[in-house]
Structure formats: structure tokens, C-alpha cells
Amino acid sequence: MPFYPEEILFSPTTDCNLSCPHCSIRKTHAILSAASAKAFLSGCRKGGIDRVGFTGGEPFLARNFLYSVVKFAVKEGFFFTRIVTNGVWYKNDRDLEDTLHRLFKAGYDGAISISVDAYHKQHVDKLARFIKTAQEVWRRPDLISIIYVTGKEVPTRRKLSRLARLLGARLEDFGTYRQHIGSDALFIKIAKIGLSAAGRAGGLKAPWDGKWFKEDYCEGPGNVFFVEPSGEVKPCCGYASESPLLSVGNINKDSLSRIRKNIRQNRIVCAIFNSGLSGLRKRLVRDGVKFPGRASDNCFFCHYILERYGKELHSLYYGPRHI
């Protein structure tokens, strides 16, 4: 399946108020240019892409970017997907209330997804305060969703149970596809994502676990224009997204048409979305590469081959040309 982006996902900053053991994002104080983001949105809207979301780092640490870009996106007719947050970025109740009211008035009507698990070191009472305030502002029982990283299910379940109690609700069906926190006035869907052994998380999980990943052509983290604070655009928001080999342009200088041309010329990206990571794996094996074992984690394997065999992949798919 070819790369066909359906959403723009802005990461306006890599800065964050937490330092979680599984996170490999390089923290800087850089903030994406709102002017460049708006120009890119305008081009994408004309090009048929009408969904936009925000992640980080912690996106609420770039709140002026959020206000400005949200207002523009409303004007351009975009649909909002989600803001991914840790939910405990605010200094005090006034800071929280002012920020959420301004975001609401700017026109944001998408979801707010909170990362909550044993890896994220939030104070649960502060997290509950964020959720209650957001519910009061938007008055939507389904506004909030939760994402947790697998690997520490027992302490994660305890944390979510305590959060549910603070919200006057109950944790239901934990570990299933129907898991949620619910009450008469509240419904919070809970989704899980696998812990990837890429980067810092390599010490938390055995990367070579004895079986090969299931090919999904990056259907999960892929098919988005993931825009970093520098303006660099990547085809996914997965654990390997920081690799320069996945760059398909920069919104500070490239138009949408130029970025789409870059995608067609980036044969590594094309190979990932057409023959898949398994296709790259088989090609490397035919060229004599021996892996330490088998890995079931797609993102880890992508990160591994880009870091370890970047030059080989560059030569294999590009010959003497440069990306």
C-alpha cells in the first residue's frame, strides 16, 4: 500500500515537564513556527487533507502555537483529531482553567488523549483535576481518551483504578478492546500501544524476542504528515521517526507539491509503505546481513535498520544519488 497521508500531526515542541524512562525524544526549547504551520495547512487543505492533530513533547507547553493554529484550522475547515498530552503540564488551577478556556474559544472540538501508565510519572490527583476541568469547559462526556503503554499492566491498572475513583467512575474491562472509565456523566475510552524497545526503552524490554513482526505497512503510526518543531516532515509518528532517512521535506521551505515529490523520490519511504519492513529485511538478508535474532516490534526493527544500516539502505536504494 503506498504512502497516502490522511492527517497532519504537529509536534510544536519536544519540551516536556516529565522525564519518562521509555521516552527517547530529544528535548529542546524550540517551538514550531505558527506561520509555517498555517501555510502548510492551507496547502494541505487545497490538496485534499482535512484532518489535523497535535502531539509532542508536551503540546500545551507551546500553547500560543495551539491557539493560533487552531483558530486558523477552524477558518480553513479542518477537522480536529486529538491533542496528545500528559495532563499535568499546568502550574496551578488558574493556569489550567485559562489555557483550556482559550483553547475552547479558539474553536478546538477534537479529542484530548492523555498518556497514563506506570511509565508516566504523573500525580493522579493532578491528572484528575485536568480531566474534570476539561469536562467542565467542553461539556462532553466523551472528550477525554486514555492511551497506555504495555509492559507494566499491574501498576498501570492500579493507577487507572485510582484515577477512576477520583473521577467518581469505575475502570471497566481493563486489558480488553472495550476497556474504559465510565460513569453516568463520563465515558473515557482506553487504548493500549506496545512498548517499543527503541532508544532509551531498549533497557526495559528485550528487543529480539524470538519472532518476526507482523507486516502492517506502517498502518499504525504511518500515513500522517508528522511535523517536528524544526519543520521537518516525516511519514510517521513512530519510534523511528527521528531518523533523517525518513525526512520528506521541511514546511519552512517546501510546498506540499515539493514534499509529495520528495516522497516519490525517497525510495526507503516508498519501500516501507510498498514492500514493507519485511521486504527491507529480506533484501538485507540477501545482501549478507545477519540480525541478532527475531523482533516482533515493527517500530524497533525500523529504528534498528535505519540506525545500523542507514548507509547500506541509502546505497541499496539510491546508488550514488543523495536523498
Side-chain angles (χ1 to χ4, degrees):
M1 54 179 289
F3 172 62
Y4 187 81
E6 301 172 336
E7 177 187 359
I8 307 107
L9 188 57
F10 288 117
S11 175
T13 181
T14 56
D15 203 3
C16 186
N17 57 304
L18 299 180
S19 182
C20 303
H22 69 303
C23 180
S24 298
I25 296 175
R26 301 183 186 95
K27 294 181 181 180
T28 71
H29 296 301
I31 294 179
L32 180 63
S33 164
S36 294
K38 293 175 187 178
F40 185 58
L41 281 176
S42 182
C44 287
R45 190 68 183 91
K46 294 174 183 176
I49 303 172
D50 62 1
R51 298 197 299 163
V52 60
F54 306 90
T55 185
E58 174 48 61
F60 280 101
L61 298 184
R63 62 195 73 183
N64 288 330
F65 174 94
L66 289 180
Y67 304 147
S68 179
V69 173
V70 164
K71 286 181 182 179
F72 183 82
V74 170
K75 181 181 177 181
E76 292 290 301
F78 276 87
F79 297 98
F80 295 111
T81 55
R82 75 277 195 200
I83 297 176
V84 182
T85 177
N86 61 45
V88 294
W89 45 267
Y90 58 97
K91 296 178 181 178
N92 50 50
D93 287 352
R94 182 174 180 179
D95 182 32
L96 173 62
E97 292 166 7
D98 288 350
T99 300
L100 295 186
H101 276 290
R102 286 191 63 182
L103 185 62
F104 176 76
K105 290 179 180 178
Y108 184 77
D109 60 0
I112 297 178
S113 296
I114 311 175
S115 298
V116 186
D117 49 52
Y119 299 102
H120 288 81
K121 305 301 181 182
Q122 304 112 318
H123 291 292
V124 179
D125 53 349
K126 191 172 184 180
L127 191 57
R129 178 59 180 156
F130 173 84
I131 294 173
K132 289 177 180 179
T133 303
Q135 294 291 142
E136 291 169 1
V137 172
W138 273 270
R139 298 185 181 279
R140 281 175 44 196
D142 63 342
L143 171 71
I144 303 294
S145 63
I146 286 175
I147 306 170
Y148 75 87
V149 176
T150 61
K152 292 187 176 183
E153 271 69 15
V154 172
T156 293
R157 181 171 188 159
R158 286 200 297 263
K159 186 173 184 178
L160 290 172
S161 294
R162 185 183 171 208
L163 176 63
R165 289 194 298 271
L166 290 171
L167 294 172
R170 292 184 61 178
L171 175 64
E172 303 283 358
D173 297 317
F174 181 78
T176 73
Y177 288 105
R178 298 178 299 172
Q179 58 190 338
H180 65 277
I181 290 174
S183 69
D184 291 341
L186 185 69
F187 186 82
I188 300 175
K189 289 183 179 180
I190 302 174
K192 58 183 177 181
I193 58 174
L195 173 66
S196 177
R200 288 178 63 191
L204 302 174
K205 177 184 178 182
W208 304 101
D209 53 10
K211 59 181 179 180
W212 281 122
F213 52 85
K214 182 180 179 181
E215 183 60 65
D216 66 353
Y217 301 95
C218 291
E219 183 178 357
N223 281 304
V224 297
F225 278 137
F226 180 61
V227 186
E228 300 176 337
S230 63
E232 287 292 297
V233 182
K234 304 295 177 60
C236 81
C237 59
Y239 289 90
S241 63
E242 290 190 359
S243 173
L245 290 173
L246 295 181
S247 180
V248 294
N250 190 301
I251 68 169
N252 293 316
K253 61 180 181 180
D254 297 322
S255 65
L256 177 63
S257 61
R258 176 71 255 182
I259 289 172
R260 282 178 164 161
K261 185 176 181 180
N262 291 343
I263 293 168
R264 293 191 295 270
Q265 293 177 341
N266 188 325
R267 296 182 187 177
I268 296 177
V269 171
C270 289
I272 290 172
F273 284 90
N274 286 282
S275 63
L277 290 171
S278 56
L280 285 175
R281 185 189 79 219
K282 293 173 184 177
R283 185 67 179 267
L284 288 168
V285 169
R286 286 199 300 269
D287 279 23
V289 170
K290 294 183 178 180
F291 297 109
R294 297 184 177 188
S296 63
D297 181 358
N298 306 59
C299 282
F300 163 74
F301 185 76
C302 184
H303 179 271
Y304 179 84
I305 62 172
L306 292 175
E307 288 287 313
R308 182 66 68 90
Y309 300 108
K311 291 182 180 179
E312 286 85 346
L313 289 170
H314 186 283
S315 175
L316 182 63
Y317 289 98
Y318 284 87
R321 296 191 304 159
H322 293 287
I323 293 177

